[in-house]
Amino acid sequence: MASHTASQKYLSTRGGSYDLSFEEVVLKGLASDGGLFIPEDIPSLPADWHDKWKDLSFQELAFEIFSLYISPSEIPPQDLRGIIQRSYSTFRTPQVTPIVTLDSKRNIHLLELFHGPTFAFKDVALQFLGNLFEYFLVRRNEGKTGKEREQLTVIGATSGDTGSAAIYGLRGKKDVSVFITFPYGKVSPIQEAQMTTVTDANVHCLAVQGTFDDCQDIVKSLFADASLNANHRLAAVNSINWARILAQITYYFSSYFSLLRQLSNQSPSDSNPQIAFTVPTGNFGDILAGYFAKRMGLPVAKLLIATNSNDILHRFWQSGRYEKHAVPAPQAEGGIKEDGVQAHEEGVKETLSPAMDILVSSNFERLLWFLAHEIHGAQSSDVKEKRRIAGEKVRSWLNDLKSKDGFAVDDALLKAAKRDFASERVNDEQTIETIREVFCTTGTTGANGNYILDPHSAVGIAASVRQPTSAEQHYISLSTAHPAKFSHAVERALKGQDGFSFEQVLPREFDGMLDAEKRVRKIERRQGSEGVKKVIIEEVEKELRNAH
Ligand SMILES: *Cc1c(COP(=O)(O)O)cnc(C)c1O
């Protein structure tokens, strides 16, 4: 593995660009060949990492990890520390991402990632990304005035979590404007209020008449719009931005050390815990950070992918085929239809864990590159040729995904994927059952008594409890949202249970939010992407006038 002192460079998974800097990949988001950015090499941990890092705070760990991916010539260490401090000072707990033990017999622990401003795990990455954007823009604009100045125009579409986390990450940031489109009337009231009650001048919520897909289409056409690109520096905050993956690596390390500390307090002699992570997965961004942690050298026994009924990843790990639609099961003699037939005709399924409702997982492409590099790149001993082969493979797979709705990989590659990952699929019924069971079995007293899971976290726990148990085996299951954000599923699971009242779950930050002042513009269907473009041009000009 590469030494971590050399300057870190980035490339595109589809082989179209090489030698990019961290700043370039963060500001661009997506490579011009349609690929995603990855570091040329995954840095390995310093030899003394365990001793040196074991008692560090979350922020200090973030600094050590980020320093392996960002050259000091790009962001001087003092500046990087400042960005990290600002990003995590908005969290409501000093540990930032604490762990709690849910089941001490089965060794199941929950990593709570929802203590940021919008009560979902995306804050961990987007608080950092917002500060990075501001840092780069302010630096580029030093000494510039008027039309010379660059303004970053962030455009995104959301069906819920990403929008509010992006808005809280970018509110009030200098030289950055943010435009978030969401389908009018189709986002939960709390999620909508979380976005529209942010009244900073640089935040613009656009309620689009239509569906989430309509919003995504609008955003896509804006990114492809030549005149808009000529006059604006457009940026995206969706989960393909490399800085988001990087930021998420920290909590794999911090929770690993937290658990070790907790275990050694309980029984100092208990020597060799095996730690696996379970991750409720949609776009594969969260768990990909776990893969980087493991490849860097964190001793992770397994990464367990937990999907809902949108199970393209689960099917891949079963079959080696990555296909948008489940292939119909072979018809039994006599022509009895199997479930798969219906699934074949469907698009995304609506589930109780909507942040994981996806047809394909965009970040999976990054894992594919590393697997292709390992398996197919082995044909060559030349560093550059290995990379070229990997990029070529990924490009042809992704072409097949587009033109034929899927592709298959070699057995050797699937075997390599299974070495690091396993997968489970959890349906809505099992999700509800898990919320209820955890509420009841955590007892009624103590800090974690009557613990209430949100439906996404419940998918993770349902997958974790299916795994084999032993005294050494521990599962850290990631909790990606606060239950108050998904009241519908929680009410359905717990209504009528002794000791349950939803009011107790509601954080006080949500008090009065539904009635607070709102700032939102409605976009009629007939206005479409041209209407959104007009709003963007108008608002950015207004901000520039007011700022200078
Ligand atoms: C985004 C999200 C997920 C899925 O994370 P990926 O990185 O897309 O796999 C899971 N749970 C919640 C609450 C989310 O907001």
Side-chain angles (χ1 to χ4, degrees):
M1 279 286 99
S3 128
H4 53 272
T5 48
S7 88
Q8 180 67 264
K9 291 288 183 187
Y10 290 81
L11 53 80
S12 158
T13 48
R14 298 195 197 170
S17 32
Y18 290 91
D19 279 338
L20 298 166
S21 71
F22 179 70
E23 178 170 348
E24 283 171 309
V25 308
V26 171
L27 290 179
K28 269 178 81 88
L30 190 71
S32 26
D33 62 0
L36 310 190
F37 295 121
I38 45 169
E40 288 187 334
D41 287 299
I42 299 180
S44 43
L45 298 170
D48 52 356
W49 72 279
H50 204 283
D51 280 348
K52 274 220 166 119
W53 292 10
K54 67 184 184 351
D55 296 313
L56 296 185
S57 67
F58 183 96
Q59 288 85 342
E60 290 164 335
L61 275 174
F63 175 78
E64 296 298 333
I65 294 162
F66 298 174
S67 299
L68 301 178
Y69 289 90
I70 307 170
S71 309
S73 57
E74 272 207 83
I75 305 183
Q78 268 325 307
D79 293 358
L80 184 58
R81 281 186 201 278
I83 293 169
I84 291 168
Q85 286 305 331
R86 289 199 291 287
S87 301
Y88 299 112
S89 65
T90 55
F91 280 62
R92 292 179 301 277
T93 146
Q95 303 104 299
V96 184
T97 59
I99 59 168
V100 301
T101 296
L102 273 195
D103 185 336
S104 51
K105 288 204 192 74
R106 307 180 84 101
N107 294 333
I108 294 177
H109 315 273
L110 201 63
L111 170 55
E112 293 183 339
L113 301 174
F114 54 74
H115 295 285
T118 74
F119 295 81
F121 99 96
K122 292 187 171 66
D123 287 328
V124 178
L126 282 162
Q127 287 291 305
F128 175 62
L129 185 62
N131 285 308
L132 266 184
F133 277 164
E134 182 180 56
Y135 177 79
F136 289 141
L137 264 291
V138 167
R139 185 162 73 181
R140 282 162 175 253
N141 284 335
E142 226 175 87
K144 292 186 187 164
T145 52
K147 281 235 173 284
E148 278 183 316
R149 292 180 68 85
E150 286 182 51
Q151 179 85 0
L152 195 67
T153 303
V154 174
I155 310 176
T158 188
S159 57
D161 272 355
T162 307
S164 53
I167 286 170
Y168 274 81
L170 295 168
R171 66 188 297 183
K173 295 282 182 270
K174 289 188 263 315
D175 302 326
V176 180
S177 317
V178 54
F179 296 84
I180 298 294
T181 61
F182 65 88
Y184 179 72
K186 296 200 171 73
V187 173
S188 83
I190 273 291
Q191 290 196 324
E192 180 171 336
Q194 277 189 306
M195 296 190 273
T196 57
T197 54
V198 175
T199 55
D200 298 64
N202 73 328
V203 172
H204 310 278
C205 291
L206 308 176
V208 174
Q209 196 183 27
T211 63
F212 173 56
D213 283 337
D214 294 329
C215 295
Q216 279 192 309
D217 287 344
I218 289 176
V219 170
K220 269 190 210 148
S221 73
L222 293 171
F223 273 98
D225 186 296
S227 79
L228 194 62
N229 276 283
N231 298 305
H232 294 77
R233 178 181 261 284
L234 302 186
V237 286
N238 46 13
S239 75
I240 50 110
N241 196 300
W242 163 251
R244 287 185 58 177
I245 309 293
L246 175 60
Q248 291 162 3
I249 297 175
T250 311
Y251 48 71
Y252 286 89
F253 281 86
S254 74
S255 60
Y256 167 85
F257 286 125
S258 299
L259 183 57
L260 288 193
R261 279 195 298 272
Q262 185 182 315
L263 295 176
S264 75
N265 284 342
Q266 283 159 6
S267 60
S269 59
D270 201 4
S271 55
N272 192 24
Q274 297 291 307
I275 301 179
F277 287 91
T278 309
V279 187
T281 296
N283 263 325
F284 206 74
D286 199 358
I287 198 163
L288 184 75
Y291 174 75
F292 274 88
K294 189 172 195 301
R295 288 283 307 270
M296 288 165 77
L298 186 71
V300 174
K302 209 72 170 185
L303 294 159
L304 181 59
I305 300 159
T307 77
N308 63 22
S309 301
N310 293 289
D311 59 351
I312 184 167
L313 292 166
H314 180 64
R315 287 185 281 114
F316 173 82
W317 260 271
Q318 302 303 303
S319 67
R321 293 195 305 270
Y322 192 70
E323 290 164 328
K324 284 187 188 167
H325 308 284
V327 171
Q331 284 195 357
E333 209 80 57
I336 300 161
K337 279 192 177 177
E338 302 283 331
D339 289 352
V341 175
Q342 199 193 350
H344 189 62
E345 285 146 11
E346 285 171 2
V348 179
K349 300 190 189 81
E350 269 184 45
T351 72
L352 293 173
S353 41
M356 291 151 59
D357 289 349
I358 47 88
L359 201 56
V360 298
S361 297
S362 39
N363 278 295
F364 182 58
E365 179 168 345
R366 287 186 160 116
L367 176 66
L368 281 174
W369 189 92
F370 285 103
L371 292 173
H373 185 262
E374 175 185 336
I375 302 300
H376 300 285
Q379 303 161 22
S380 172
S381 56
D382 180 64
V383 175
K384 288 197 170 142
E385 180 60 10
K386 278 177 189 288
R387 288 179 188 150
R388 193 197 63 75
I389 293 169
E392 192 62 36
K393 268 284 170 195
V394 171
R395 195 158 55 86
S396 84
W397 284 326
L398 270 293
N399 280 341
D400 286 351
L401 182 64
K402 202 167 176 186
S403 61
K404 301 180 197 151
D405 277 1
F407 60 86
V409 300
D410 291 2
D411 285 348
L413 194 135
L414 180 60
K415 200 165 158 226
K418 284 182 174 171
R419 182 189 58 211
D420 295 325
F421 295 90
S423 77
E424 293 282 352
R425 171 180 51 209
V426 177
N427 66 24
D428 276 352
E429 203 181 314
Q430 293 159 339
T431 304
I432 292 288
E433 190 53 39
T434 304
I435 296 175
R436 199 177 293 144
E437 240 177 68
V438 167
F439 181 83
C440 297
T441 55
T442 44
T444 54
T445 55
N448 306 324
N450 283 161
Y451 195 95
I452 300 178
L453 291 171
D454 103 285
H456 304 82
S457 311
V459 167
I461 293 295
S464 301
V465 298
R466 291 179 193 165
Q467 307 310 306
T469 59
S470 75
E472 295 77 38
Q473 183 61 56
H474 288 262
Y475 294 91
I476 298 180
S477 202
L478 275 55
S479 173
T480 51
H482 189 286
K485 290 195 82 165
F486 298 94
S487 53
H488 164 67
V490 172
E491 294 263 17
R492 199 159 126 189
L494 298 182
K495 210 169 171 150
Q497 291 290 326
D498 246 10
F500 172 70
S501 91
F502 200 76
E503 281 62 47
Q504 287 172 340
V505 188
L506 276 179
R508 69 189 148 68
E509 284 83 351
F510 288 7
D511 276 359
M513 191 181 259
L514 294 174
D515 309 313
E517 185 197 343
K518 306 217 165 59
R519 198 160 162 266
V520 57
R521 276 174 89 143
K522 239 186 121 172
I523 305 288
E524 306 290 337
R525 190 183 297 278
R526 61 183 163 72
Q527 289 176 281
S529 70
E530 279 305 312
V532 174
K533 182 176 161 183
K534 248 174 78 184
V535 170
I536 291 175
I537 293 171
E538 202 179 288
E539 292 288 348
V540 171
E541 271 175 14
K542 204 191 301 174
E543 276 175 56
L544 285 170
R545 267 199 313 278
N546 291 344
H548 313 292

